[in-house]
Amino acid sequence: MTAIVETLDLTRRYGTNLALDHLNLTIPEGAIFGFIGPNGAGKTTTMRILTTLLPPSAGEARVAGVSVTGDPRAVRRLVGFMPDFFGVYDNMKSWEYLDFFGRAYGVAAPRRQQMIGELLDLVDLGHKRDEPVMSLSRGMKQRLSLARTMMHDPRLLILDEPASGLDPRARIELRELLKELRALGKTIMISSHILTELAEMCTHIAIIERGRLLAAGEVQQILRSIRAHRIVEIRVVAGAARAEELLRSHPEVLELRREGERDGEDASPLDDASGPHLLLVDFAGDERAMGELLAALIASDVRVSHFAEQAGDLEDIFLHVTRGIV
Amino acid sequence: MLELNPILVKDLRSRMRGARAYVLLTIYLLILSGVTLLLYAALAGSIGNDLNAGRQIGRTLFLTIASVALVEVCLITPVLTSGSIAGEKERQTYDLLIASLLTPWQLVWGKLASALAFALLLIAAVAPVMSLAFLFGGVSLAEVVIAMVGLVVTAVLYATIGLFWSALTRSSLGATSFALGSVILILLGIPFLIVIATLILGRDVSSDFLEAPLFIYLSRLFIAAHPFIALGVTATQISSGENIFVEVVEAGASSVVVPSPWLLYSFLSLIFTMVLLFFCVRLLNPTRPVTTEAPARAKQTGAPDGA
Ligand SMILES: Nc1ncnc2c1ncn2[C@@H]1O[C@H](COP(=O)(O)OP(=O)(O)OP(=O)(O)O)[C@@H](O)[C@H]1O
Ligand SMILES: [Mg+2]
């Protein structure tokens, strides 16, 4: 697969605030690319640079090999952008809305007519053709916006939090719609801070925080790399201090944290009187080694009420990655 | 196939779809014809019935109608455009337009043209009322044409002033306030400066200075920047039998030929219009992200980008 989006040390500053810090992204053609990060991570900033709405402070961004600063018009022809808000006009019917943007992209009249019909059907708004845009529900406006991004038949769709504010049913519909678009050969870049929203439909994900790329690649591959070390939850009823001592010196324990605490810097030993303690262990061993670990704990007279590996779905990857454990 | 400017099509469609356009047109004509009627009633009673009286009525009517129309054009056209680009920002459609294949120039031109189409409608609506004055005599065709040119030129410049503020600010309200503020500044500021200048120059400045061609040109140019003064002076000159296009100013022994104020005004307006349009197009270029961000933030981003 060839890359449709490539960024090289892409950097963007707002004053002294570094919104993007040497971001290196690659999106293969035909992917559904989930772009995930907490609020203020720099998702919108990246997308605005890729849609030529914002100049980078340093570094480069290319869409299908075309530089966004070198030839913005060529990039605009390749990209359909749906921002995280809907821009709608009052006084305008659904078909007129699409017609207007078709004109704005220089789509010829006969082709425009054909596209409007097809796209309204695709997003299931055929029956709303003559309704004013303002009268549509949020989910319908969202779908109309999606149809708008398709008017000039772009190769890459950049969708900024398209699912925000949608009810579960509308989310499922959106997901189906994106799959259809992918089947049409589009590459889709989609941002969100809710991971489960993207979990099933993305082929690739990138995780970004404070302008830095934390992880990127195929969903399966990222899942596998996360699995290499697992998080084990251990609930200790008695002998917590001993347990900590043992775990700290264990070769396969990469990191040990107490529940509800960030860096594990608190040196004072745990007191059993203050109730059961939950320890989180970043464990590099396999399932067998986990068994050995439990046996070792029991052998040194630690009373364990719960010993389990945390269920590792995308949500966890996100949490772990953004906590800096991986 | 050549297509009309998409912005023009959209804006004309929505402008004409709402009731606002018709309400505005009606109010505009009501003011114009109301003033005309009142004036006619006042004049008809006080002036006799001979031929000269008719001419006098005609002339007064013409000047009044032209002035009222000019006031209305000065105040309405900037408002027509000041909401245009800022309105796109408010509706959050601005980014969509910038990210499309529309060029900044197409955007600016579409916005300007859709406002001007309406402004020209307003100006054209003056014609029937003016022809009333024409019936009485006392007004030449040249004067009517100059008045129309003056109105159109004013509409173009003041619409562009509104457009400029619209491209610069984020809210239509802000843009409209700044646009009307600029118009008022021009209309009141220039006479104020003229008064100040006359007071200073009237006292102790040598006549050599006052009669230098450069001073004559510059002072005329400055005076001609004001639509009412420029067109008013032209009307007086024409009625006193001077040439329509040039004015001969006696300066001591020699004389200096200066274009007529209305020509100077049209020339100045055209220049300013082009300069403002140039800035509008620059403001709409996203490589300068001033327009989509809060002014304070924009200032911050400006520095590193400039480097
Ligand atoms: N116009 C702006 N001026 C100044 N700083 C900005 C501007 N836009 C974004 N930022 C800053 O850049 C950083 C990244 O913002 P961005 O909008 O890209 O985040 P995001 O990942 O889209 O967040 P969210 O999930 O909230 O949409 C933030 O720290 C934000 O404060
Ligand atoms: Mg965002």
Side-chain angles (χ1 to χ4, degrees):
Chain A
M1 280 198 282
T2 51
I4 189 155
V5 173
E6 256 184 317
T7 70
L8 302 170
D9 288 333
L10 191 64
T11 301
R12 169 74 206 192
R13 270 178 227 100
Y14 291 103
T16 53
N17 177 9
L18 199 57
L20 284 184
D21 185 6
H22 295 87
L23 190 75
N24 289 295
L25 267 190
T26 309
I27 304 183
E29 176 119 47
I32 300 188
F33 188 89
F35 197 39
I36 299 145
N39 290 130
K43 305 182 293 292
T44 301
T45 304
T46 311
M47 289 180 152
R48 288 176 62 86
I49 290 175
L50 288 175
T51 48
T52 74
L53 288 170
L54 197 70
S57 309
E60 253 228 86
R62 287 199 216 105
V63 176
V66 185
S67 154
V68 291
T69 45
D71 190 355
R73 273 184 82 74
V75 171
R76 289 172 195 172
R77 202 169 284 125
L78 292 165
V79 176
F81 178 43
M82 178 168 157
D84 53 357
F85 45 79
F86 343 97
V88 290
Y89 297 101
D90 32 342
N91 260 323
M92 213 185 224
K93 296 172 183 166
S94 303
W95 77 267
E96 286 173 338
Y97 184 70
L98 295 182
D99 186 59
F100 168 63
F101 282 99
R103 284 170 196 265
Y105 277 98
V107 181
R111 171 110 179 105
R112 227 160 48 217
Q113 290 317 309
Q114 183 200 343
M115 285 297 273
I116 291 172
E118 284 178 13
L119 287 175
L120 283 176
D121 286 340
L122 180 73
V123 299
D124 212 8
L125 286 175
H127 59 297
K128 295 285 183 184
R129 189 187 166 91
D130 291 312
E131 300 283 317
V133 175
M134 290 301 264
S135 74
L136 301 182
S137 77
R138 192 182 170 100
M140 290 174 182
K141 278 184 197 154
Q142 204 82 298
R143 297 209 299 268
L144 187 66
S145 295
L146 196 55
R148 189 209 68 232
T149 63
M150 305 267 297
M151 268 309 280
H152 62 297
D153 199 18
R155 272 165 71 188
L156 172 68
L157 297 181
I158 296 187
L159 315 176
D160 198 357
E161 306 205 14
S164 70
L166 295 187
D167 66 23
R169 182 174 191 83
R171 273 164 204 246
I172 294 170
E173 283 170 3
L174 181 75
R175 199 146 67 205
E176 293 311 308
L177 193 53
L178 292 183
K179 281 183 185 157
E180 274 180 65
L181 294 183
R182 181 173 184 232
L184 291 176
K186 311 281 178 206
T187 307
I188 300 168
M189 179 184 192
I190 175 171
S191 79
S192 177
H193 49 263
I194 305 168
L195 245 137
T196 42
E197 197 173 274
L198 302 180
E200 295 145 54
M201 65 174 150
C202 290
T203 58
H204 294 70
I205 54 172
I207 300 174
I208 179 178
E209 197 196 15
R210 273 184 252 138
R212 274 199 304 256
L213 196 64
L214 299 181
E218 284 179 47
V219 173
Q220 293 312 319
Q221 185 191 327
I222 290 204
L223 275 175
R224 241 179 282 128
S225 73
I226 290 297
R227 282 283 149 72
H229 32 123
R230 41 192 99 205
I231 304 293
V232 183
E233 287 180 358
I234 307 171
R235 198 167 164 85
V236 180
V237 192
R242 269 195 308 285
E244 274 202 322
E245 204 176 317
L246 186 145
L247 289 170
R248 276 220 181 84
S249 56
H250 196 285
E252 280 169 322
V253 171
L254 301 176
E255 199 188 325
L256 171 67
R257 280 184 311 123
R258 296 170 187 170
E259 171 77 295
E261 159 211 77
R262 282 214 141 231
D263 302 318
E265 292 300 333
D266 188 5
S268 64
L270 284 174
D271 180 7
D272 286 344
S274 61
H277 299 280
L278 188 65
L279 301 175
L280 296 174
V281 176
D282 189 1
F283 192 62
D286 58 8
E287 207 167 339
R288 202 184 171 78
M290 264 175 73
E292 299 294 338
L293 180 66
L294 180 59
L297 283 171
I298 306 289
S300 51
D301 206 21
V302 176
R303 292 289 167 264
V304 175
S305 66
H306 173 88
F307 185 94
E309 184 186 341
Q310 276 186 348
D313 61 6
L314 277 173
E315 198 78 50
D316 294 308
I317 302 179
F318 180 56
L319 287 176
H320 298 165
V321 164
T322 54
R323 263 184 204 152
I325 290 180
V326 167
Chain B
M1 193 183 74
L2 204 72
E3 289 222 40
L4 277 173
N5 184 310
I7 298 281
L8 177 64
V9 174
K10 168 186 81 84
D11 280 9
L12 276 184
R13 213 183 244 164
S14 74
R15 201 187 289 280
M16 289 307 165
R17 189 169 279 171
R20 252 184 77 209
Y22 301 97
V23 172
L24 201 63
L25 189 61
T26 312
I27 294 177
Y28 168 84
L29 282 178
L30 276 180
I31 293 178
L32 205 62
S33 45
V35 170
T36 313
L37 271 176
L38 279 178
L39 190 77
Y40 178 73
L43 287 177
S46 61
I47 300 179
N49 254 342
D50 56 42
L51 190 67
N52 228 5
R55 293 175 147 251
Q56 215 174 323
I57 292 178
R59 186 153 189 84
T60 317
L61 272 183
F62 166 74
L63 289 178
T64 313
I65 292 166
S67 310
V68 174
L70 192 57
V71 171
E72 293 189 284
V73 165
C74 281
L75 294 179
I76 291 175
T77 43
V79 176
L80 286 180
T81 48
S82 61
S84 59
I85 297 173
E88 301 280 353
K89 292 176 198 164
E90 279 172 351
R91 279 186 296 246
Q92 302 189 307
T93 44
Y94 180 78
D95 282 349
L96 304 181
L97 299 183
I98 297 294
S100 77
L101 288 177
L102 287 172
T103 59
W105 170 246
Q106 266 181 305
L107 230 165
V108 165
W109 168 239
K111 290 290 180 190
L112 186 64
S114 75
L116 283 182
F118 189 69
L120 290 184
L121 187 69
L122 294 184
I123 293 174
V126 179
V129 194
M130 249 186 204
S131 65
L132 206 72
F134 213 62
L135 284 180
F136 286 97
V139 186
S140 69
L141 187 62
E143 284 177 294
V144 176
V145 170
I146 290 176
M148 284 297 174
V149 169
L151 285 173
V152 171
V153 165
T154 308
V156 173
L157 174 63
Y158 285 41
T160 313
I161 291 178
L163 198 67
F164 170 74
W165 284 113
S166 196
L168 196 64
T169 55
R170 283 160 64 89
S171 77
S172 337
L173 189 65
T176 306
S177 319
F178 279 121
L180 284 179
S182 320
V183 169
I184 289 168
L185 198 70
I186 295 172
L187 295 187
L188 299 183
I190 292 178
F192 178 74
L193 288 179
I194 292 175
V195 169
I196 300 278
T198 358
L199 284 181
I200 295 173
L201 297 178
R203 264 192 283 134
D204 41 26
V205 175
S206 74
S207 68
D208 281 356
F209 176 71
L210 293 180
E211 286 171 357
L214 186 67
F215 174 79
I216 292 177
Y217 274 118
L218 285 183
S219 59
R220 305 275 146 164
L221 214 53
F222 184 68
I223 290 171
H226 195 285
F228 289 89
I229 300 180
L231 296 172
V233 170
T234 303
T236 329
Q237 286 174 351
I238 291 176
S239 74
S240 62
E242 280 190 51
N243 187 295
I244 301 176
F245 298 107
V246 290
E247 176 193 358
V248 181
V249 183
E250 303 294 337
S254 61
S255 59
V256 180
V257 178
V258 188
S260 217
W262 74 273
L263 275 179
L264 284 179
Y265 173 63
S266 307
F267 172 72
L268 274 181
S269 302
L270 230 65
I271 300 252
F272 276 122
T273 302
M274 288 195 290
V275 170
L276 285 174
L277 284 180
F278 173 76
F279 280 118
C280 284
V281 169
R282 297 236 333 182
L283 282 171
L284 295 190
N285 197 336
T287 50
R288 301 163 181 280
V290 185
T291 43
T292 50
E293 290 157 7
R297 285 170 154 190
K299 224 170 245 159
Q300 288 185 340
T301 56
D305 288 332

